[in-house]
Amino acid sequence: MRLGILISGRGSNFEAIANAIARRKLDAEIAIVISNRANAGGLDIARERGIPLRVIESRGMQREAYDKLVIDELRTHEVDLVCLAGFMRLLSASFVEAYPNRVVNIHPSLLPAFPGLDAQRQALEYGAKITGCTVHLVDEFLDSGPILVQSAVPVLEDDTVETLSARILAQEHAIYPKALQLIVDRRITLQGRRAVVKEEERE
Ligand code: GRF
């Protein structure tokens, strides 16, 4: 399966996916990394690893026009599955239609709690005792598509946004490649908005 990874910043989830592929935990190939920002740290990771990358600046662009450029680039690289990894833009309906149930995102909370920006800060300020992260399919709404995999993380009494974010991030790096492998193995079936995961076949 050929992955197209969309980033805006640090790129640690992209790196976790690349590591999982290198360690043969994920049977896929990164066809292209696209960043909407020229200064995204994740671009250096792609450069170091010789992974094809492209910057498509989004500043000042209309959503539909921007998404069309990205879709063209993904098609050029024959991408099967689009992975949002810290990509800080909402996708248009036409993007989602171009890749139906083929766009995945990672979000640093247990959705549907705390969608949107600063999810870790939201959980801390709300006083949640447990939060976590979610890998989900993407629709045209914010952090709202069917949930594929979640991992829970405790909120500790002395947590700061930084310490909580780091604890969640470690789980993000674990579950994102796992969720992608479930898709590669065709183990996920959608029943309405429920993603049902088929048991692993045993020898
Ligand atoms: C992660 O916390 C992810 O859940 C959220 O944005 C952050 C991206 O981090 N969507 P990175 O760029 O993958 O390091």
Side-chain angles (χ1 to χ4, degrees):
M1 192 168 280
R2 292 174 63 79
L3 310 180
I5 302 195
L6 270 52
I7 63 169
S8 300
R10 182 177 54 183
S12 72
N13 278 288
F14 150 50
E15 190 173 27
I17 292 168
N19 286 342
I21 292 171
R23 293 178 192 138
R24 301 184 185 281
K25 301 266 181 210
L26 173 57
D27 186 14
E29 184 185 339
I30 301 176
I32 182 79
V33 175
I34 301 174
S35 173
N36 68 321
R37 293 183 190 152
N39 61 355
L43 291 169
D44 290 331
I45 300 171
R47 282 186 199 107
E48 278 160 21
R49 291 175 178 240
I51 295 171
L53 63 98
R54 173 85 199 275
V55 175
I56 309 179
E57 284 273 10
S58 59
R59 196 171 310 134
M61 283 198 73
Q62 295 286 345
R63 196 176 306 287
E64 291 277 340
Y66 181 76
D67 284 7
K68 196 176 170 319
L69 292 180
V70 175
I71 291 168
D72 285 349
E73 189 69 19
L74 293 169
R75 289 203 170 128
T76 301
H77 291 271
E78 298 179 347
V79 163
D80 305 302
L81 185 66
V82 182
C83 308
L84 309 186
F87 186 64
M88 303 301 284
R89 279 178 71 86
L90 204 58
L91 300 184
S92 61
S94 39
F95 193 121
V96 177
E97 275 158 28
Y99 288 92
N101 292 331
R102 290 279 150 180
V103 185
V104 189
N105 183 40
I106 178 114
H107 182 76
S109 76
L110 293 177
L111 290 171
F114 312 124
L117 288 177
D118 282 334
Q120 304 94 330
R121 179 183 299 280
Q122 289 185 56
L124 195 62
E125 289 180 355
Y126 194 89
K129 302 294 186 195
I130 294 173
T131 183
C133 48
T134 303
V135 180
H136 65 95
L137 294 178
V138 172
D139 58 22
E140 69 267 43
F141 306 107
L142 183 65
D143 301 327
S144 84
I147 290 168
L148 302 182
V149 179
Q150 293 186 303
S151 178
V153 162
V155 182
L156 305 181
E157 299 300 332
D158 57 354
D159 261 337
T160 60
V161 174
E162 288 70 32
T163 58
L164 179 59
S165 299
R167 193 174 309 117
I168 294 172
L169 194 63
Q171 288 306 304
E172 294 184 37
H173 296 164
I175 68 169
Y176 207 171
K178 269 189 200 158
L180 296 179
Q181 186 60 41
L182 291 178
I183 296 173
V184 168
D185 287 339
R186 300 184 187 285
R187 285 177 54 200
I188 296 178
T189 331
L190 282 184
Q191 294 176 4
R193 61 162 293 129
R194 291 188 65 210
V196 179
V197 180
K198 204 172 94 187
E199 285 286 310
E200 210 163 356
E201 277 163 23
R202 294 185 190 280
E203 297 278 299

